[in-house]
Amino acid sequence: MQLYKYTALAACFIFSSFGGQALAKTISVASPNGQVVVNVDDDASNPSYTVIFNNEEVISRSALGMAFKNAHALGEGFTIASSKKSSSDSTWEQPWGERQLVRDNHTELQVDFNHASHNPSRFTVRFRVFDDGVGFRYEVPKQKGLKGLIEITNEYTEFNIQNSSNVTAWWIPARGWNRYEYVYNTSALNEIDRVHTPFTFKLASGTHVSIHEAALVDYAGMALDQRREGMLKADLAPWSDGVLVKKEGAFNSPWRTIQIASNAVGLLNSDLILNLNEPNKLGDVSWVEPAKYVGIWWGMHITENTWGSGPKHGATTANTKYFMDFAAKYGFAGVLVEGWNIGWDGDWYSNGDVFSFTKPYDDFDIAELAAYGKEKGVRIIGHHETSGSVTNYKNQMADAFDLYQKHNVAQVKTGYVADGGRIKRVDENGIVRYEWHDGQFMSREYLRSVTEAAKRKISINTHEPIKDTGLRRTYPNWIAREGARGQEFNAWGSPPNPPEHTTILPFTRMLSGPMDFTPGIFDLSFNGLEGENRPRTTLAKQLALYVVIYSPIQMAADLPRNYEANLKPFQFILDVTTDWQESIALAGEVGEFVTIARKAKDSDDWFLGTLTDENKRNVHVDLSFLDAGKKYEAQIYRDGNDANWQTKPYDIIIENKVVTSSDSLTLPLATSGGAAIRFKILSN
C-alpha cells in the first residue's frame, strides 16, 4: 500500500498481515511544503524506503542496510522499533560561495530499527526531507556484536527507479582508470552499468533527479551499480583487501542524497548538499580569499614549456616574474607555478616517490620570488603533485606547508595523477598497497592535506580529487576541486571535450560543488582550426564559463600574450568576480544549454553567462532578477552573426545597452557558443 498525499510532519502507521508474519509498519514524513514525501517501512522485516514527489513515485520501495565481515548484517529481519520527528528552519552564512545566505528548511525523521535475536541488534536511519529532495544516513551505535575493528563488506542501499526504459540519464563510468575524467554519456537508464555520482536522470514526466552523497568523511565513496533493470545499488570503493569501510565504535555513514526538481533548472538552485554538511570547524576563515589567478600551466599542456628541467622549463625565476608582472598589471591575485620542485624529470607519472616538496630546481628561487611578489601585490600559488604516492607526500607534508607558509603562499593546488585503483600507500609493515582515489583511505588523506594546510592558513585546490560532497562548508579552505574533464583535455585529450560537455557539467558534476575548470582560452587554434585538439567553443563561450562553471578561484588559463592581443574581450575576465551574494539558474536543459545569473558580493553588479551545445539557438533572458528600480549598463559579449566554433570561433560582438529589471534580452548563440554579460549599476 502506498500513500501519496500527506501534510508536513504527518506520520502514518499502516498495519497488514502477510501469511502470519508480524504486522508491517510504515512511517511517513513530508517536506515543509508537502511536495516531497518519504515512506519508511519494515514490510516482511525488510527495512525499506520510498520517495514521492508531487504525487509521483520517484524512488520506488528500496532496501536499506549494510553487512559486516564478522557480525550479523543490519537489514533483513529488522523491524521499526520507534521513530521521532522534528523540523528546522534556519539561515546560515557562507564565508564565500554561490550565495552569501543559505536557508536550511527541512523536516527530519529518525527511524530506529531493531532485531529480536541478532547482535548487532540496533541501527538508525535518519531522514532529512527538503522541498528539493531527501538526505538519509545510517547511524550505528556502539553495541554488542560490534566490537573492535568493524569491517563493512556491503551496503544494501537501493534506489529503485521504475520504467527505466523511459528515463534519460547523464553519466560517467565508475571504477575506471581515469577517475572522474570522462566524456558524459546520454542514454536510457537501462543502458548504464556502474556510474559515479552525482548521477542525474529525467523521468518520463519531466521530473529531474540527481543521486549523490553529502559529508563524505572517513568513509568509502559511493558509486551506483545497476543490478536488475532500474535498480541502482550503492557500490562503495573498496580497500586493497576488499573491505569497504573500517570503523571502531559508533559511526555514521555519509548522507545519501536525492535531489528532485520539476525541471532541470530546479536542480541548479538547490543547496541540499551543503545543508547536510556540518558547520565550519575552522573558526575564523577570513584568510580564505576567493580570487582570480594566472599561471605557469597552459604552456606545458600545449608543449611550449615543460614541467621538467631543461631548455623549455616553465617554472623558472625569470618566467615566474614575467607572470607576476602580468598579474600585477591586470589585478590578478596570484600566479600558479607548476614544475618548480625536484621530481618532474623522468617517469614522474609512474613514480611519485621521486618528488621532493621542499627542494626547488636550480633555476627557481622561491625566496626571491616571494619577495618580488610582495612588492607587486601578487602571491605565488603553490603546487604539490603526488602522482598518487601519498605516503611520500604524507612524510613531507608538514615541511612542505611550512615552506609555503614562510613564503606567503596562501593557496596550494594538489595533484594525484594516478590511474584509478593505483594510489600507492606503504602500510605499517612497509608493504606497498594500492587504493582507489574514492576509497576510505584516500578520504582520510585528502582531508589530512586540508586540515594540515588550515593550520598554516593555506587553502587547498585538489586535482584528481575524491568527489566533492559539500565539505567546503565544514572546511572552508577546501576552496575547489577538479573531479571532471577540465580545459586541459582540449589541449591533448583525444577526443577533446565535446561542445555539449559544459552544458552537462552544471547538472551533474557541479551539483556537488566548485570546479577548477580553468576557463579563458583565447587562442582557440593553437593546433590550427582543423586540429583535433583545441577548445571546441567560440571565444564568447570561454567568457561565459566564468559565470556558468562556479569556483571561488578562477584561472585566466591562457598565455599572457594572447590576452594582451585581445584586450576588449579580456575586459570581461578582469571585471567578473568569484564571490557571490546570490546565484540564480534561469533556464536550461541538460546537455543543451544553460543560463545562470549571479550578483557580486562586493558590488551591486550582476553577471550572466549562457552557453549552448553544438546547436546554435536564441536564448531569451528575462531580466527580472535585477534589482528593481535601478538602471544598469549591460556590457554584452556575445557570438557574432557568423560565429561558429569550427571555422569562426573568434567572431564576437561587444555592445552596451541600458536595461532595468522590467526588460528582457534575446541572445543569439552560435554552435558551441555563448554570451557573457556584466550588468553595471548606473543609478539607485
Side-chain angles (χ1 to χ4, degrees):
M1 180 177 183
Q2 296 169 341
L3 301 182
Y4 288 85
K5 293 183 179 179
Y6 302 89
T7 59
L9 296 177
C12 181
F13 293 81
I14 306 169
F15 299 93
S16 57
S17 178
F18 296 90
Q21 296 179 7
L23 295 177
K25 184 184 295 182
T26 298
I27 305 172
S28 299
V29 63
S31 64
N33 68 2
Q35 71 180 8
V36 180
V37 175
V38 175
N39 298 329
V40 185
D41 74 80
D42 59 7
D43 189 9
S45 297
N46 286 302
S48 303
Y49 75 101
T50 305
V51 178
I52 297 158
F53 174 71
N54 286 341
N55 297 327
E56 178 183 17
E57 198 169 74
V58 172
I59 303 294
S60 300
R61 190 170 185 268
S62 299
L64 296 165
M66 65 181 65
F68 305 105
K69 184 175 182 179
N70 295 310
H72 286 292
L74 306 177
E76 184 177 359
F78 280 73
T79 58
I80 296 174
S82 62
S83 65
K84 181 180 179 180
K85 294 171 292 174
S86 62
S87 63
S88 177
D89 190 356
S90 62
T91 299
W92 56 278
E93 184 174 0
Q94 293 195 88
W96 53 265
E98 306 93 323
R99 57 186 51 83
Q100 187 170 358
L101 299 177
V102 178
R103 185 182 181 189
D104 179 357
N105 185 21
H106 67 265
T107 57
E108 181 171 291
L109 174 63
Q110 173 186 323
V111 184
D112 302 315
F113 293 92
N114 72 4
H115 196 288
S117 59
H118 283 176
N119 286 313
S121 62
R122 296 177 289 132
F123 75 101
T124 293
V125 183
R126 187 178 304 276
F127 292 84
R128 289 186 182 167
V129 189
F130 303 80
D131 294 338
D132 54 357
V134 178
F136 64 92
R137 74 178 182 191
Y138 298 97
E139 300 176 0
V140 181
K142 187 175 181 180
Q143 59 190 292
K144 188 177 180 181
L146 291 178
K147 295 183 178 180
L149 182 64
I150 303 166
E151 298 181 305
I152 300 173
T153 57
N154 199 356
E155 182 176 324
Y156 299 143
T157 305
E158 294 174 342
F159 304 87
N160 186 8
I161 305 160
Q162 296 297 311
N163 301 317
S164 60
S165 61
N166 295 319
V167 174
T168 302
W170 295 272
W171 55 276
I172 55 174
R175 304 287 181 272
W177 74 272
N178 209 16
R179 306 165 304 272
Y180 307 97
E181 297 177 21
Y182 294 94
V183 172
Y184 274 86
N185 298 280
T186 303
S187 73
L189 178 66
N190 58 10
E191 295 178 23
I192 73 167
D193 186 8
R194 181 186 287 117
V195 296
H196 272 307
T197 68
F199 170 66
T200 301
F201 56 94
K202 181 175 72 172
L203 303 178
S205 64
T207 296
H208 285 66
V209 183
S210 186
I211 298 172
H212 189 44
E213 56 185 319
L216 172 54
V217 177
D218 193 16
Y219 218 83
M222 180 186 73
L224 299 172
D225 182 19
Q226 182 163 229
R227 311 300 285 271
R228 289 182 287 106
E229 186 174 304
M231 180 65 76
L232 307 180
K233 180 187 172 298
D235 187 301
L236 305 189
W239 284 78
S240 52
D241 62 6
V243 174
L244 304 182
V245 177
K246 303 178 182 184
K247 290 287 189 179
E248 292 188 11
F251 68 91
N252 299 335
S253 75
W255 295 90
R256 279 66 184 97
T257 63
I258 307 166
Q259 291 170 276
I260 313 170
S262 57
N263 55 36
V265 173
L267 293 177
L268 305 187
N269 292 317
S270 171
D271 293 313
L272 185 147
I273 300 295
L274 277 176
N275 279 326
L276 288 170
N277 277 266
E278 296 295 320
N280 172 20
K281 290 185 176 181
L282 300 182
D284 175 27
V285 289
S286 58
W287 46 270
V288 178
E289 299 177 356
K292 289 171 289 189
Y293 70 101
V294 295
I296 300 172
W297 179 77
W298 187 243
M300 280 84 86
H301 288 288
I302 61 175
T303 69
E304 280 198 15
N305 302 116
T306 59
W307 283 277
S309 61
K312 296 201 298 181
H313 187 210
T316 66
T317 301
N319 198 29
T320 305
K321 286 183 177 180
Y322 164 69
F323 273 84
M324 283 182 163
D325 290 342
F326 176 81
K329 180 178 180 180
Y330 293 103
F332 292 94
V335 174
L336 169 69
V337 185
E338 294 194 10
W340 67 273
N341 57 313
I342 298 294
W344 290 95
D345 297 321
D347 189 14
W348 60 268
Y349 183 96
S350 302
N351 184 18
D353 291 338
V354 301
F355 282 113
S356 167
F357 301 100
T358 57
K359 297 179 181 178
Y361 281 112
D362 291 339
D363 56 0
F364 183 83
D365 190 326
I366 189 171
E368 179 181 342
L369 288 166
Y372 189 81
K374 188 174 182 179
E375 289 180 8
K376 295 284 185 176
V378 177
R379 282 176 166 165
I380 296 171
I381 296 176
H383 183 240
H384 288 161
E385 177 54 63
T386 70
S387 294
S389 292
V390 294
T391 301
N392 179 51
Y393 186 42
K394 175 183 174 182
N395 292 340
Q396 300 183 61
M397 188 180 293
D399 291 339
F401 284 144
D402 285 346
L403 175 69
Y404 275 150
Q405 182 185 32
K406 176 182 177 182
H407 294 297
N408 199 35
V409 174
Q411 295 177 353
V412 176
K413 174 181 174 181
T414 58
Y416 296 81
V417 176
D419 286 0
R422 294 294 295 178
I423 288 287
K424 180 182 178 181
R425 72 176 175 95
V426 181
D427 71 12
E428 61 277 7
N429 298 313
I431 299 173
V432 172
R433 309 289 185 185
Y434 290 97
E435 308 292 349
W436 289 96
H437 285 72
D438 55 342
Q440 184 185 14
F441 171 76
M442 282 306 294
S443 75
R444 295 170 177 172
E445 290 302 308
Y446 285 115
L447 189 54
R448 181 199 304 278
S449 72
V450 171
T451 54
E452 284 298 311
K455 295 174 184 177
R456 299 157 178 88
K457 295 186 177 181
I458 292 174
S459 299
I460 295 296
N461 167 22
T462 313
H463 280 232
E464 297 79 43
I466 192 169
K467 61 184 173 181
D468 200 348
T469 58
L471 284 173
R472 59 190 166 115
R473 179 184 181 186
T474 313
Y475 304 95
N477 69 319
W478 207 341
I479 48 176
R481 312 187 195 199
E482 190 184 34
R485 266 179 163 238
Q487 187 80 262
E488 68 271 20
F489 275 86
N490 294 323
W492 42 256
S494 294
N497 298 327
E500 70 175 7
H501 185 61
T502 49
T503 68
I504 296 176
L505 284 178
F507 303 95
T508 51
R509 160 65 182 87
M510 300 306 302
L511 295 180
S512 70
M515 181 183 176
D516 189 31
F517 183 83
T518 60
I521 300 303
F522 274 30
D523 180 3
L524 299 167
S525 54
F526 50 86
N527 281 327
L529 288 176
E530 298 78 22
E532 178 185 19
N533 293 116
R534 69 175 184 88
R536 298 186 171 191
T537 77
T538 64
L539 180 58
K541 186 173 182 177
Q542 286 291 320
L543 298 180
L545 291 171
Y546 283 90
V547 180
V548 171
I549 304 296
Y550 169 67
S551 175
I553 54 167
Q554 289 281 26
M555 188 179 195
D558 210 336
L559 305 176
R561 67 171 184 263
N562 294 325
Y563 293 129
E564 295 201 306
N566 296 278
L567 288 176
K568 288 185 177 180
F570 184 48
Q571 187 62 46
F572 182 81
I573 297 177
L574 301 182
D575 291 336
V576 71
T577 188
T578 62
D579 196 13
W580 306 101
Q581 181 179 329
E582 186 57 83
S583 295
I584 306 170
L586 300 174
E589 295 292 344
V590 188
E592 297 181 16
F593 78 103
V594 63
T595 305
I596 296 176
R598 305 188 195 272
K599 185 177 184 180
K601 185 186 287 187
D602 56 0
S603 74
D604 290 325
D605 291 355
W606 283 82
F607 291 82
L608 181 141
T610 184
L611 50 84
T612 184
D613 61 359
E614 68 278 7
N615 298 303
K616 63 180 182 180
R617 68 184 73 236
N618 291 327
V619 172
H620 181 77
V621 181
D622 183 333
L623 301 183
S624 58
F625 60 86
L626 295 174
D627 297 337
K630 296 182 178 180
K631 290 184 179 180
Y632 296 83
E633 181 182 64
Q635 300 169 355
I636 303 169
Y637 302 76
R638 65 174 176 87
D639 292 321
N641 297 330
D642 297 323
N644 66 76
W645 77 263
Q646 291 171 304
T647 61
K648 293 189 176 181
Y650 302 110
D651 188 7
I652 189 170
I653 292 174
I654 302 173
E655 59 186 354
N656 296 336
K657 294 182 178 180
V658 176
V659 298
T660 69
S661 61
S662 61
D663 292 324
S664 63
L665 295 172
T666 297
L667 301 170
L669 307 186
T671 59
S672 195
I677 305 175
R678 178 193 183 190
F679 296 94
K680 184 179 180 181
I681 195 80
L682 291 178
S683 63
N684 294 323

